[in-house]
Amino acid sequence: TPLCDMGAAQTSCPCSPGGPVVSGTKDDNLVKVTVSTDEREPLEELADLPQTPKLAQSRWWEAALPEDTCVVRKELREMSPDEQERFAQAMLKMRENRDGKGTSPYFQLAAYHGGFPPKSRAELPEYCTHGNPAFPTWHRAYLLDFERMLRRADLALGGDGNIGLPYWNWSKTRINGEVVPAIVRKMLLREFEEDFFPVPPARDFSLANTNSDDAIGSKIDRSRLAESAAAAQHSVHFLQFASTGDATSRAPTIESAHNSIHMF
């Protein structure tokens, strides 16, 4: 037990804030001590100490993120092997169900974007916007929401949450000999568990159907999508840039490139 200074006439023992009050006198080598069990307020300076939040591991998806941290988004194929592994593990963590079938953060974010037939839109609303000027801005907010969940998954795995959502720069067909990032093929094309979906899906979601690098690379090169996307970003009219709803044959739109790359 820590030794308290009994020179004062009456003091609250800092070793036990809010506990018994220790009174005493010191006379040469003789110390007389009495203890009162009256309840007292904790020492103010101890009460003001920051408390470490204790979030149950089972509720990692609700973890608070530091507001003063700015994460960096990198091209996935240019990241170090350790960075790629860390990203992939966080993605797999997001696929873990919280409470029963179809309750993983990954599935719920995906359904938020595109719905999930055979579930009705009343059961799983679809919010993704296409064919109107909100297309680029809605997706920016959506990616931020996805990135924040990725960071929470990283925290749950013991990381510091300082991880950005990587991007795939398909305008550069191959980087380090890869079209689709190799870490994606290695770790993230694992088939979904049976309980990933709340009910059997209406169509085949098998990841084994992913095309080869040669097939995808060939389609990208023939499509000239990079040129189309660059032209869209030089448009002087936001509506024509933003969506297919206002595009013309002379003014390409960023949404057209988005739609095409989905099909490769």
Side-chain angles (χ1 to χ4, degrees):
T1 301
L3 179 63
C4 300
D5 182 9
M6 303 298 12
Q10 183 170 321
T11 180
S12 294
C13 175
C15 310
S16 180
V21 174
V22 180
S23 301
T25 59
K26 182 165 59 177
D27 182 12
D28 297 330
N29 296 324
L30 179 63
V31 177
K32 297 180 180 179
V33 177
T34 60
V35 178
S36 169
T37 58
D38 292 341
E39 292 184 359
R40 301 297 173 97
E41 294 296 323
L43 291 179
E44 186 173 314
E45 60 269 25
L46 293 180
D48 290 340
L49 288 176
Q51 301 298 311
T52 302
K54 294 183 179 180
L55 184 68
Q57 180 70 11
S58 61
R59 303 189 68 83
W60 61 265
W61 55 87
E62 295 179 350
L65 296 172
E67 297 295 334
D68 58 348
T69 299
C70 183
V71 299
V72 178
R73 296 177 179 175
K74 304 178 181 179
E75 215 292 347
L76 183 51
R77 293 170 294 180
E78 295 178 343
M79 291 164 62
S80 71
D82 286 346
E83 290 176 317
Q84 292 178 345
E85 174 86 10
R86 180 181 177 184
F87 158 69
Q89 292 291 354
M91 288 284 285
L92 293 174
K93 180 68 177 178
M94 289 175 62
R95 285 168 58 165
E96 295 179 4
N97 282 327
R98 298 185 289 195
D99 183 24
K101 295 182 177 181
T103 60
S104 71
Y106 189 104
F107 174 81
Q108 294 189 335
L109 282 164
Y112 182 87
H113 177 273
F116 177 67
K119 289 282 188 179
S120 69
R121 292 192 177 186
E123 295 175 286
L124 283 176
E126 177 183 346
Y127 295 100
C128 180
T129 177
H130 282 271
N132 67 62
F135 169 79
T137 51
W138 187 93
H139 281 82
R140 290 190 71 177
Y142 176 73
L143 289 176
L144 178 60
D145 205 18
F146 196 99
E147 181 177 68
R148 289 175 66 83
M149 190 59 72
L150 182 77
R151 294 175 62 194
R152 293 186 180 101
D154 182 66
L155 285 172
L157 292 171
D160 60 6
N162 188 10
I163 178 174
L165 180 63
Y167 63 89
W168 175 40
N169 183 6
W170 43 261
S171 68
K172 295 182 179 179
T173 308
R174 291 183 181 273
I175 295 179
N176 297 326
E178 306 167 15
V179 179
V180 174
I183 190 67
V184 172
R185 293 193 181 277
K186 176 183 177 182
M187 295 188 61
L188 300 181
L189 292 187
R190 300 175 185 176
E191 298 297 344
F192 296 111
E193 300 291 338
E194 290 185 6
D195 61 355
F196 178 79
F197 303 103
V199 295
R203 63 183 180 88
D204 183 14
F205 279 94
S206 175
L207 300 177
N209 296 330
T210 305
N211 288 328
S212 68
D213 268 18
D214 287 342
I216 295 174
S218 178
K219 289 182 178 181
I220 292 175
D221 292 338
R222 291 198 310 267
S223 69
R224 303 180 69 177
L225 282 181
E227 297 176 24
S228 176
Q233 294 184 72
H234 286 85
S235 175
V236 296
H237 300 289
F238 175 78
L239 296 182
Q240 292 177 343
F241 152 80
S243 76
T244 54
D246 295 281
T248 68
S249 58
R250 298 173 58 184
T253 166
I254 200 70
E255 185 182 1
S256 295
H258 163 277
N259 294 344
S260 296
I261 204 68
H262 263 304
M263 305 304 297
F264 292 170

